[in-house]
Amino acid sequence: MLSRNLEFITVHRKESLSDNLAEWFAKATYEEYMVKARGGIDVTIPVEGIPIGSGGTYTQEQFEKAKELVKQGKYQKLNRQQEIEYVRKNIGAIELAEKYVECINNNTNNTKLGLHLSAVTNGHSIVVTVWYIPETTSERPPRLESFTIEGATVDQGFPDDLKIQPTGYSILLHRVENSPVSIIINTNKGTVTETIPVLDSSDGLGKRWLEREGSWNGIWSRRGNTNVFDALWQYHAHPDVTAVLTITRAGNTIYVARRESSDGNNCDYVGTIAADGVTVSGTYHCDRGEPEMTWTATISND
């Protein structure tokens, strides 16, 4: 599920995710930078000649130096695969990450004239993007007049004074249960609509996963029909560990993002569902520990 983590760079003023992140970095204060970093969001832009600390962040002095170089365009840009990995790392959903980066690229490269609207979905999370391709370079962009969203909630909608550019503007929606979602955007140059059908809850994720990794036994309990699970691990004579999981299925491949771990050790899992539809096995890596470890699970509907 796409969290609120990337809302601060979902305004596509630039041609790539790297440039959008750099635009934010160049305007941020050190306090704002550290709030994101402490929240588990990677906002450190590599700049040649300025080392990154062991915690993956800059000191205030390094930050100010890096900020000046970023303003001059002297920063390391991400390629498409790195952008996908960046989004996946911060939102915990590889499938949505690929679609999200592709959406940015398509908006930039789309030459079809007029007003456009797209919606990228992942379970109950939906990224909505609106953009406009003008007939001439001198044409003024359309002005947003109103927008309506039914079947979903939004934390921060489109600004009242939004002028819709070719690179677009995105907002994050949260679908209400499994309901269909309707989006209507009215501008002074026309209206665009998008309807997203009812979410099919028969996604093969079950209600509970019985998981094992090393000597730890885990129980992953699903929150309703979402792809968010509350996890509990237990091991004799050790303190229990809890975390929040986001599970994404792409065919028979499973991606699990483990966040908010009570032991401070966040992890990412990849697995494959066997032919029986309930047995899962794969590998995972964490902030701490071996580079690659194995895990298994059984999906239950009880």
Side-chain angles (χ1 to χ4, degrees):
M1 180 177 68
L2 180 62
S3 69
R4 299 179 180 87
N5 288 358
L6 296 185
E7 285 187 331
F8 70 104
I9 56 168
T10 54
V11 182
H12 308 319
R13 296 187 182 94
K14 304 297 182 182
E15 294 187 354
S16 70
L17 187 147
S18 294
D19 292 337
N20 277 289
L21 178 59
E23 181 184 47
W24 177 88
F25 188 92
K27 295 179 180 178
T29 64
Y30 185 69
E31 289 73 21
E32 291 170 332
Y33 164 77
M34 289 306 299
V35 166
K36 298 293 184 187
R38 293 190 188 106
I41 307 172
D42 183 5
V43 287
T44 300
I45 299 180
V47 176
E48 187 175 352
I50 302 181
I52 299 173
S54 58
T57 59
Y58 289 130
T59 65
Q60 184 162 2
E61 182 181 358
Q62 291 171 329
F63 172 79
E64 296 301 336
K65 290 180 180 178
K67 186 173 176 178
E68 288 305 312
L69 291 174
V70 168
K71 288 179 180 179
Q72 299 171 32
K74 299 178 181 179
Y75 57 90
Q76 180 181 324
K77 295 190 177 184
L78 305 177
N79 59 36
R80 185 176 186 276
Q81 189 56 44
Q82 289 171 327
E83 288 187 339
I84 291 172
E85 175 60 20
Y86 173 84
V87 178
R88 184 208 61 77
K89 179 179 178 181
N90 286 286
I91 67 177
I94 186 71
E95 183 180 22
L96 183 56
E98 291 173 344
K99 292 179 180 179
Y100 179 73
V101 172
E102 181 180 358
C103 180
I104 295 176
N105 294 336
N106 287 345
N107 294 352
T108 302
N109 298 324
N110 193 334
T111 57
K112 185 178 179 181
L113 301 179
L115 188 64
H116 302 272
L117 175 64
S118 71
V120 177
T121 65
N122 184 63
H124 287 72
S125 298
I126 306 169
V127 176
V128 175
T129 303
V130 59
W131 72 99
Y132 184 83
I133 305 298
E135 291 188 22
T136 65
T137 55
S138 60
E139 182 183 354
R140 292 185 176 182
R143 182 183 66 257
L144 178 70
E145 293 185 339
S146 65
F147 68 94
T148 303
I149 296 170
E150 296 181 353
T153 61
V154 56
D155 297 312
Q156 184 175 349
F158 295 106
D160 294 336
D161 58 349
L162 177 64
K163 295 179 180 178
I164 302 170
Q165 306 292 339
T167 45
Y169 193 104
S170 297
I171 61 173
L172 175 64
L173 307 183
H174 306 281
R175 188 197 297 260
V176 177
E177 297 182 346
N178 292 344
S179 62
V181 177
S182 173
I183 306 158
I184 303 174
I185 297 178
N186 298 305
T187 76
N188 62 328
K189 292 190 177 182
T191 298
V192 284
T193 64
E194 183 79 22
T195 300
I196 303 168
V198 172
L199 180 65
D200 182 3
S201 60
S202 59
D203 50 15
L205 295 184
K207 295 181 179 179
R208 184 177 292 103
W209 293 38
L210 304 178
E211 186 257 3
R212 186 172 179 84
E213 49 190 74
S215 299
W216 291 85
N217 292 309
I219 300 176
W220 301 354
S221 302
R222 189 175 187 176
R223 295 182 185 177
N225 288 321
T226 72
N227 63 338
V228 179
F229 287 66
D230 294 303
L232 167 68
W233 288 270
Q234 295 179 318
Y235 176 29
H236 178 68
H238 288 72
D240 292 353
V241 175
T242 61
V244 177
L245 310 180
T246 301
I247 302 180
T248 303
R249 179 173 180 171
N252 288 326
T253 302
I254 291 291
Y255 302 95
V256 182
R258 169 176 156 180
R259 301 294 183 264
E260 301 179 33
S261 296
S262 60
D263 62 354
N265 197 21
N266 292 328
C267 308
D268 291 290
Y269 302 67
V270 178
T272 302
I273 299 180
D276 62 9
V278 297
T279 304
V280 187
S281 61
T283 60
Y284 70 103
H285 65 274
C286 301
D287 295 340
R288 304 190 304 269
E290 299 296 325
E292 190 171 273
M293 297 167 280
T294 60
W295 67 286
T296 59
T298 302
I299 302 173
S300 172
N301 285 307
D302 297 329

